[in-house]
């Protein structure tokens, strides 16, 4: 197994925790939970893999008075 090509180091944008993510299995839009702070993250870029906070659209719409 060639770890350098299959596993990628990523960082949690909330707490800065660094962890490995399988680059071959990761897809745009995948959801991941940080093991340190339990933040819900989403894969927003693939090359290199980048994570950002995942937003639940239902929760966002509840904050506004949208008919």
């Amino acid at each position: 197994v060639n770890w350098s090509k299959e596993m990628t180091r990523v960082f949690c944008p909330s707490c800065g925790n660094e962890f490995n993510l399988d680059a071959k299995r990761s897809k745009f839009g995948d959801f991941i939970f940080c093991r340190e702070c339990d933040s819900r993250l989403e894969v927003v870029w693939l090359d290199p893999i980048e994570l950002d906070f995942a937003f639940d659209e239902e929760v966002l719409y509840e904050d506004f008075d949208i008919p």
Side-chain angles (χ1 to χ4, degrees), residues 16-34:
N17 181 42
E18 182 179 10
F19 54 96
N20 289 324
L21 194 61
D22 188 339
K24 286 191 171 192
R25 291 183 163 191
S26 297
K27 297 180 200 94
F28 183 81
D30 280 353
F31 295 108
I32 298 161
F33 286 91
C34 175

Side-chain angles (χ1 to χ4, degrees), residues 2-65:
N2 187 348
W3 290 98
S4 63
K5 294 208 177 221
E6 294 180 15
M7 300 302 283
T8 301
R9 300 295 284 170
V10 293
F11 297 88
C12 172
S14 181
C15 70
N17 181 42
E18 182 179 10
F19 54 96
N20 289 324
L21 194 61
D22 188 339
K24 286 191 171 192
R25 291 183 163 191
S26 297
K27 297 180 200 94
F28 183 81
D30 280 353
F31 295 108
I32 298 161
F33 286 91
C34 175
R35 293 180 180 161
E36 291 293 318
C37 69
D38 205 33
S39 290
R40 185 173 182 231
L41 307 172
E42 182 176 3
V43 175
V44 296
W45 199 259
L46 292 174
D47 190 20
I49 293 178
E50 185 178 326
L51 302 176
D52 201 354
F53 299 103
F55 294 101
D56 187 356
E57 291 182 25
E58 290 180 23
V59 172
L60 289 177
Y61 288 122
E62 288 175 2
D63 293 339
F64 301 100
D65 291 328

